[in-house]
Amino acid sequence: MEERTIVSKNERQTKKIAKNISKLIEENTVICLRGDLGAGKTTFTKYLLSYLGVKGIVSSPTFTIVKQYSVKSGIISHMDLYRLTNEEELVELGFEEMLAVSFLTIIEWPDIAIELIKNKTIDITINFNDDHNRVFNIKEKN
Ligand SMILES: Nc1ncnc2c1ncn2[C@@H]1O[C@H](COP(=O)(O)OP(=O)(O)OP(=O)(O)O)[C@@H](O)[C@H]1O
Ligand SMILES: [Mg+2]
C-alpha cells in the first residue's frame, strides 16, 4: 500500500492533485473521499471528472445519492452517502451492481460502504492544517 500527503493551498492545486490521481485509475476503481463538510470532496471530484472526459457541470449528489456520467472509458458513478444510515439501504439501491458496471465509482462519506468494496481503492482524506490549507492524504489499495 502506497501512501502520500499533499498540501493544497487553493483550487488550482486541488486541480493538479486531481490530474495526478486521474492517471492511477483503472477499470472498476473506487475512490473513497473522506473529510468534514466543506472539506472539498465535491470540488476535487469536479476536477477529476473533467480530466476523465466529463463535459459540463458536476454537481453534488447529496440529495440524489448518485449521479452517473458516461465517458469514453465507461460509466462514472459519483455517490454521496451522507444521507444513508446503513449498508442494507445501500444494497437495496443496487450498490454492488453499480460498482460492477462502473469504470470508476467515487464515494463521498464512504463509511457504510466499506465492507462491500472489493475493488482497487484509492482512499483520499482531506483535512485542514494550522494554516487553513487542505491536506490530502492518499492511500492506494489493490
Ligand atoms: N482547494 C480549495 N481551495 C479553496 N476553496 C476550496 C477548495 N476546495 C473546495 N473549496 C471550496 O470549499 C467549499 C466546499 O467544497 P465542497 O462542496 O467540494 O466540499 P465537500 O467536501 O464536498 O462538502 P460536503 O461534505 O458538504 O459534500 C466550496 O465553496 C469550494 O469552492
Ligand atoms: Mg460534497
Side-chain angles (χ1 to χ4, degrees):
M1 182 166 37
E2 252 197 88
E3 185 167 349
R4 63 195 109 164
T5 302
I6 308 166
V7 176
S8 165
K9 293 185 176 171
N10 49 48
E11 290 211 22
R12 192 178 50 81
Q13 293 183 352
T14 291
K15 187 175 173 186
K16 201 169 150 197
I17 296 169
K19 185 179 186 178
N20 288 326
I21 298 290
S22 74
K23 295 171 188 161
L24 306 175
I25 294 162
E26 299 164 14
E27 177 78 41
N28 287 139
T29 296
V30 172
I31 295 181
C32 290
L33 279 176
R34 299 164 195 279
D36 290 342
L37 287 169
K41 302 179 291 296
T42 300
T43 302
F44 168 82
T45 301
K46 188 175 76 181
Y47 290 123
L48 179 67
L49 294 193
S50 75
Y51 284 115
L52 295 174
V54 173
K55 308 243 186 295
I57 296 162
V58 169
S59 56
S60 173
T62 305
F63 296 98
T64 51
I65 313 294
V66 60
K67 285 194 173 158
Q68 290 188 311
Y69 304 88
S70 186
V71 296
K72 248 188 234 146
S73 317
I75 296 167
I76 297 176
S77 302
H78 177 202
M79 309 190 77
D80 184 331
L81 307 183
Y82 189 73
R83 296 176 156 263
L84 299 188
T85 51
N86 60 59
E87 192 181 277
E88 203 173 310
E89 284 179 307
L90 204 52
V91 171
E92 280 167 20
L93 273 173
F95 180 75
E96 289 155 300
E97 293 81 354
M98 191 147 54
L99 286 193
V101 301
S102 300
F103 168 71
L104 169 68
T105 305
I106 300 165
I107 311 175
E108 297 186 35
W109 301 98
D111 285 344
I112 62 162
I114 294 307
E115 301 280 314
L116 299 172
I117 302 170
K118 313 285 181 228
N119 310 48
K120 170 191 163 105
T121 303
I122 303 170
D123 211 89
I124 301 176
T125 304
I126 310 171
N127 286 305
F128 286 94
N129 66 13
D130 293 341
D131 300 327
H132 304 287
N133 292 319
R134 291 168 164 86
V135 180
F136 282 68
N137 189 269
I138 301 160
K139 286 186 207 126
E140 271 185 81
K141 294 173 217 155
N142 278 300

